Amino acid sequence: MQPKETIVCRCEDITLGEIQALIKEGYSTIDEIKRAARAGMGPCQGRTCRMLIAQELAKFYSIPVGEVLMPTFRPTVKPVKLGTYAGGE
């Protein structure tokens, strides 16, 4: 068992304990947790924490990780320099 102080979302500095508390409060999807705690909204856009949060949801609800509803992705999912849009870089 990992300590509750373990960082799950490095970009937004969200701990395992915070994620578990949200799940116990009734947040049942990654999108709900994302909106409540900003987990997955940092520069990596959830690439590092999305599956960790999915694992916690799966564990709490006793379902396979594959059954956890994945978050909605909106463009842009990778960082893009503004100069690219302006035709500069």
Side-chain angles (χ1 to χ4, degrees), residues 76-89:
T76 302
V77 294
K78 288 189 176 184
V80 178
K81 294 181 180 181
L82 289 177
T84 303
Y85 292 116
E89 292 182 23

Side-chain angles (χ1 to χ4, degrees), residues 46-89:
R47 284 191 221 42
T48 58
C49 64
R50 178 177 52 240
M51 286 309 295
L52 297 171
I53 296 169
Q55 289 171 355
E56 287 304 310
L57 286 165
K59 189 186 325 177
F60 184 83
Y61 290 106
S62 300
I63 59 172
V65 173
E67 289 184 22
V68 174
L69 185 63
M70 284 294 123
T72 305
F73 293 102
R74 294 175 181 87
T76 302
V77 294
K78 288 189 176 184
V80 178
K81 294 181 180 181
L82 289 177
T84 303
Y85 292 116
E89 292 182 23

Side-chain angles (χ1 to χ4, degrees), residues 7-80:
I7 300 293
V8 171
C9 178
R10 293 181 289 183
C11 298
E12 297 295 325
D13 202 30
I14 313 267
T15 65
L16 177 61
E18 291 173 297
I19 297 297
Q20 290 172 338
L22 288 169
I23 294 170
K24 287 177 185 169
E25 286 178 28
Y27 294 89
S28 59
T29 67
I30 296 173
D31 270 336
E32 289 174 343
I33 292 170
K34 180 178 176 179
R35 289 183 186 103
R38 292 196 45 86
M41 295 180 79
C44 85
Q45 293 294 294
R47 284 191 221 42
T48 58
C49 64
R50 178 177 52 240
M51 286 309 295
L52 297 171
I53 296 169
Q55 289 171 355
E56 287 304 310
L57 286 165
K59 189 186 325 177
F60 184 83
Y61 290 106
S62 300
I63 59 172
V65 173
E67 289 184 22
V68 174
L69 185 63
M70 284 294 123
T72 305
F73 293 102
R74 294 175 181 87
T76 302
V77 294
K78 288 189 176 184
V80 178

